[in-house]
Amino acid sequence: LISRRYPTVEIRAESFNGSTHVPVPSDSAFLKALLFELRLIDYHIFVEHRDTCTRINHSSVYSVRTEGGDLWPVLAFQKSGLIYACLPLVEDTLEPRPPLLTVLGLSQGLALLLGIVDYISPSRKNEAEMTAKIGQLRNLLIQACPLGTPLNTNIRSLNSSFDDIQEMPADENQPAWRSNTYKGKPQVNVCITEKVKCMQYDKRDVVDTWQVYGAVNCKCDIEGSAPNVTLSLNLPTNGPPLQDIVVHHCVTSIDPAMLMSSSAEPLDDSVYSGPYKFPFIPPSDSFNLCYYTSQVPVPPILGSYQLIEEGSQLKITVNLKLHESIKNSFEYCEARLPFFNRGPITQLEYKVSYGQLDLSREKSLLVWVIGQKFPKSLEVSLTGAVSFGAAGKEHPTDYVCTGNTAYVKLYFRIPDFTLTGCYVDQHSIQIFAPGKPKITASRELISSDYYIWNSKALAPMVYKASLD
């Protein structure tokens, strides 16, 4: 849809990388190579350098093979059917590859791509509006990233027309990312959002996996051209430390120990466990102050799923248990049971210990609405038998979920709670600006790709332990 090259950056890359420099190919060649690396084309062909199980990508950073060599680090991810990608500058030689945490352009590139996502995503379903925004994006990128260095990653805050571009502020202390100055009562809003991904198998020889990803979003309405703010993230006693911390470019200084904790390495007693202080000069609009991961000891909801085919019927059993350390207060909580490669559900017999079970309109999905609380026992169960009619084109298919390979997917949100226990102490927020600001802090835990696989069938596995 759109691409932007910076010859100044390519010249710098050639200077820094020396003999290890790999030239950037044409847009069409780069796109083809990227789609191949992301397995969006030729995914049915096994290619060793891409598909070998010894090469498991734990991030959105890829090495893209081109005719001139391997381009690295290519930052790429998919969102709402679009691919967003950039190639950050590495101010060093590429052999051996430097650690990702030392590549400063990665966090800037990620912030710029997320700014573009935030700008484009609301128009994703309206083709005319989407086309118009893509056309405006060329002008906006000239303002946001004029010579290859992102100056303002909040694309929505920029003006889409050159005629509307204002002169640079007279105050030389005002940073480029503060596109305007606020007038009014000072207020600060902070929200910690943690998302938990999970794969559960309920098998002795397969290890369940779960991951937590956090983001701290801020909106600082404060007068002044360059107000200084210090925000601290805190953990409860014995809380799991934050790792893989990536900060917004507006952060003015930070303890290096915070950035050195990596989830790729085993935890030890020397890992930095807070408080995590972030001094920064906030942009004018809403922004994500930092991202992080954490290795929490247990997933919030443990489950098991058994699906057995008996004649023309499927017998299903689902058990879910909320861990006692988790706040039992949901905005919503439901389990969805899709049935792929089958016809519409023609007969359903079931029993639920709690909540209610609904059948979707297309009759291929069971939705178990658990509600806003688990019962006192913290355990719920569903048993039933399902029969199907003849399959039609309108019913869902899946190449992975064939036969009895199936899953339950959980959807939930717990307000005022984080799995790590991470929180913002409102009294610790320091603002060096006139007036007493109103401070609002909130947090939430949201499920993301939370799967419980049928234990009576094979399932795609992240890791399988070897048994003696």
Side-chain angles (χ1 to χ4, degrees), residues 20-329:
T20 60
H21 177 69
V22 178
V24 182
S26 66
D27 288 356
S28 58
F30 174 77
L31 177 59
K32 184 177 180 180
L34 178 62
L35 292 175
F36 181 82
E37 178 63 30
L38 296 177
R39 303 187 81 251
L40 295 174
I41 57 173
D42 295 338
Y43 57 86
H44 57 286
I45 303 173
F46 177 80
V47 181
E48 186 169 355
H49 81 269
R50 179 191 69 179
D51 302 320
T52 175
C53 58
T54 59
R55 182 176 176 235
I56 300 175
N57 209 22
H58 294 288
S59 67
S60 297
V61 179
Y62 298 88
S63 176
V64 175
R65 183 158 294 186
T66 67
E67 287 188 2
D70 290 354
L71 275 179
W72 181 91
V74 176
L75 180 61
F77 58 86
Q78 298 181 62
K79 181 74 174 178
S80 302
L82 296 178
I83 301 171
Y84 299 83
C86 70
L87 178 61
L89 174 67
V90 178
E91 298 179 343
D92 200 350
T93 58
L94 296 173
E95 295 294 341
R97 287 181 180 173
L100 291 180
L101 287 174
T102 65
V103 182
L104 300 178
L106 277 173
S107 58
Q108 291 182 317
L110 178 61
L112 182 63
L113 291 181
L114 291 174
I116 296 173
V117 171
D118 186 50
Y119 172 72
I120 289 179
S121 288
S123 309
R124 187 67 187 94
K125 295 181 180 179
N126 187 321
E127 188 173 342
E129 189 177 333
M130 178 84 166
T131 303
K133 283 202 168 185
I134 293 295
Q136 295 170 352
L137 188 57
R138 299 183 185 278
N139 289 347
L140 297 175
L141 282 176
I142 294 175
Q143 303 172 56
C145 192
L147 295 174
T149 300
L151 301 179
N152 187 351
T153 57
N154 189 350
I155 307 297
R156 283 198 302 166
S157 70
L158 300 173
N159 299 300
S160 60
S161 168
F162 281 118
D163 297 334
D164 297 332
I165 297 177
Q166 301 173 357
E167 295 182 5
M168 288 298 289
D171 190 339
E172 60 182 16
N173 294 321
Q174 181 168 339
W177 59 83
R178 280 188 69 81
S179 55
N180 53 60
T181 55
Y182 174 77
K183 297 292 184 183
K185 186 177 180 180
Q187 52 187 356
V188 175
N189 293 298
V190 184
C191 179
I192 302 174
T193 298
E194 286 188 356
K195 294 185 177 181
V196 56
K197 291 188 175 185
C198 193
M199 289 277 183
Q200 296 182 38
Y201 302 97
D202 191 30
K203 293 186 177 183
R204 286 184 56 194
D205 61 336
V206 184
V207 176
D208 295 343
T209 62
W210 56 92
Q211 299 166 304
V212 178
Y213 303 88
V216 181
N217 183 268
C218 299
K219 178 72 167 68
C220 302
D221 294 326
I222 306 171
E223 291 188 356
S225 57
N228 286 285
V229 180
T230 298
L231 182 148
S232 293
L233 298 181
N234 298 276
L235 294 174
T237 306
N238 299 324
L242 307 184
Q243 297 177 283
D244 305 323
I245 298 175
V246 178
V247 300
H248 192 275
H249 57 75
C250 71
V251 175
T252 53
S253 65
I254 200 165
D255 189 330
M258 288 170 51
L259 303 179
M260 296 307 292
S261 179
S262 170
S263 59
E265 300 172 359
L267 288 171
D268 57 46
D269 295 337
S270 63
V271 172
Y272 192 88
S273 57
Y276 303 85
K277 287 192 174 184
F278 300 90
F280 59 96
I281 300 174
S284 307
D285 227 325
S286 174
F287 71 102
N288 285 327
L289 177 66
C290 70
Y291 300 90
Y292 62 84
T293 67
S294 184
Q295 300 181 43
V296 296
V298 291
I301 298 176
L302 289 166
S304 66
Y305 179 31
Q306 294 184 357
L307 181 149
I308 302 174
E309 196 159 358
E310 292 185 0
S312 60
Q313 280 189 331
L314 290 182
K315 296 291 183 69
I316 58 173
T317 303
V318 183
N319 294 299
L320 301 176
K321 181 178 181 180
L322 181 68
H323 194 270
E324 58 267 17
S325 65
I326 306 302
K327 181 182 178 183
N328 190 9
S329 178

Side-chain angles (χ1 to χ4, degrees), residues 388-407:
F388 301 89
K393 291 183 179 180
E394 71 277 9
H395 289 91
T397 60
D398 192 286
Y399 294 108
V400 173
C401 297
T402 57
N404 287 353
T405 299
Y407 61 76

Side-chain angles (χ1 to χ4, degrees), residues 8-22 89-90:
T8 51
V9 180
E10 294 186 39
I11 292 172
R12 291 180 67 199
E14 193 171 356
S15 174
F16 279 119
N17 305 155
S19 61
T20 60
H21 177 69
V22 178
L89 174 67
V90 178

